[in-house]
């Protein structure tokens, strides 16, 4: 069990760095096939979907849907939240922000139902803001980024604060409100 966990941690580290290594994809496929139906498998499916996001977006969505179904079956809420978020990101990346919002709001609903997932809620709110930015609905985007900032401040999540402040700065820059943009860029 220790070796399996160690391999999973090594592979997850590579995934978080955004590498698309064919050997990594093959290893994840094998682990997926041989993993019991548990939270580890849900995590592996979500990680695999993240790897597919750039090279095969439809396979990414399909794999996240599989993770969500298994997560719901075994009651692994965090895995379902991550799956819905992954689907939303993949759909947004495909130029489908309205479809992305459907899944981001499903993730947000789960975060609201389970208070222990409040920290994940900030990430979901940021993704909702990104989808609204893609729709050019800047007021809604800033609202969701601002809601995420409140949670990120509560948990002192500096990375989350940086992303949200940067996203607000980008919006103000696009609107030619350079003084406001500068304030948020400096906070980022």
């Amino acid at each position: 069990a220790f070796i399996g966990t160690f391999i999973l941690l090594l592979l997850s580290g590579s995934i978080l760095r955004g590498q698309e290594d064919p050997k990594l994809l093959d290893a994840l496929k094998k682990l997926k096939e041989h993993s019991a139906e548990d939270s580890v498998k849900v995590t592996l499916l979500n990680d695999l979907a993240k790897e597919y996001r750039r090279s095969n977006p439809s396979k990414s969505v399909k794999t996240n849907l599989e993770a969500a179904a298994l997560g719901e079956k075994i009651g692994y809420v965090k895995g379902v939240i991550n799956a819905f978020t992954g689907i939303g990101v993949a759909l947004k990346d495909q130029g489908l922000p309205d479809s992305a919002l459907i899944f981001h709001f499903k993730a947000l609903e789960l975060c609201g139902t389970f208070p222990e997932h409040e920290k994940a809620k900030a990430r979901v709110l940021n993704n909702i803001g990104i989808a609204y930015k893609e729709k050019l609905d800047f007021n809604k985007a800033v609202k969701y980024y601002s809601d995420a900032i409140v949670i990120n401040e509560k948990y002192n999540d500096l990375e989350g604060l940086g992303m949200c402040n940067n996203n607000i700065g980008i919006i103000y820059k696009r609107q030619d409100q350079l003084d406001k943009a500068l304030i948020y860029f400096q906070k980022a």
Side-chain angles (χ1 to χ4, degrees), residues 176-187:
D176 234 7
Q177 296 181 45
L178 301 182
D179 290 341
K180 282 186 176 181
L182 183 59
I183 291 168
Y184 284 95
F185 286 141
Q186 287 174 337
K187 289 181 182 182

Side-chain angles (χ1 to χ4, degrees), residues 101-164:
L101 284 168
I102 292 168
F103 286 94
H104 287 314
F105 279 117
K106 285 183 178 209
L108 184 62
E109 182 180 345
L110 282 174
C111 290
T113 305
F114 298 91
E116 65 268 24
H117 297 295
E118 184 180 31
K119 200 170 177 183
K121 183 177 182 179
R123 185 173 40 104
V124 172
L125 290 166
N126 184 57
N127 284 323
I128 291 171
I130 291 169
Y132 277 118
K133 182 183 75 160
E134 294 296 313
K135 290 172 53 79
L136 304 179
D137 190 337
F138 298 133
N139 290 333
K140 281 188 181 177
V142 168
K143 178 215 177 296
Y144 283 99
Y145 294 143
S146 298
D147 290 347
I149 285 173
V150 171
I151 297 170
N152 287 324
E153 285 174 341
K154 178 179 176 179
Y155 291 98
N156 197 32
D157 183 345
L158 299 179
E159 182 181 351
L161 284 166
M163 285 190 301
C164 293

Side-chain angles (χ1 to χ4, degrees), residues 16-152:
L16 292 175
R17 288 189 300 276
Q19 299 172 355
E20 287 191 44
D21 181 353
K23 291 179 185 175
L24 175 62
L25 285 173
D26 289 341
L28 281 172
K29 285 179 196 174
K30 287 177 185 171
L31 283 172
K32 175 187 152 191
E33 292 168 3
H34 295 92
S35 179
E37 288 200 342
D38 58 11
S39 62
V40 172
K41 185 167 185 175
V42 174
T43 300
L44 286 170
L45 288 166
N46 281 328
D47 288 347
L48 185 58
K50 191 173 184 177
E51 281 297 309
Y52 283 135
R53 201 172 293 149
R54 285 189 208 109
S55 61
N56 191 339
S58 60
K59 192 157 189 158
S60 175
V61 170
K62 181 181 177 212
T63 306
N64 274 134
L65 286 170
E66 188 179 343
L70 179 56
E72 287 176 344
K73 178 180 172 185
I74 65 172
Y76 184 45
V77 176
K78 179 181 177 183
V80 177
I81 291 168
N82 289 337
F84 286 158
T85 300
I87 294 167
V89 170
L91 292 171
K92 187 269 307 168
D93 288 349
Q94 293 177 63
L96 302 167
D98 290 318
S99 298
L101 284 168
I102 292 168
F103 286 94
H104 287 314
F105 279 117
K106 285 183 178 209
L108 184 62
E109 182 180 345
L110 282 174
C111 290
T113 305
F114 298 91
E116 65 268 24
H117 297 295
E118 184 180 31
K119 200 170 177 183
K121 183 177 182 179
R123 185 173 40 104
V124 172
L125 290 166
N126 184 57
N127 284 323
I128 291 171
I130 291 169
Y132 277 118
K133 182 183 75 160
E134 294 296 313
K135 290 172 53 79
L136 304 179
D137 190 337
F138 298 133
N139 290 333
K140 281 188 181 177
V142 168
K143 178 215 177 296
Y144 283 99
Y145 294 143
S146 298
D147 290 347
I149 285 173
V150 171
I151 297 170
N152 287 324

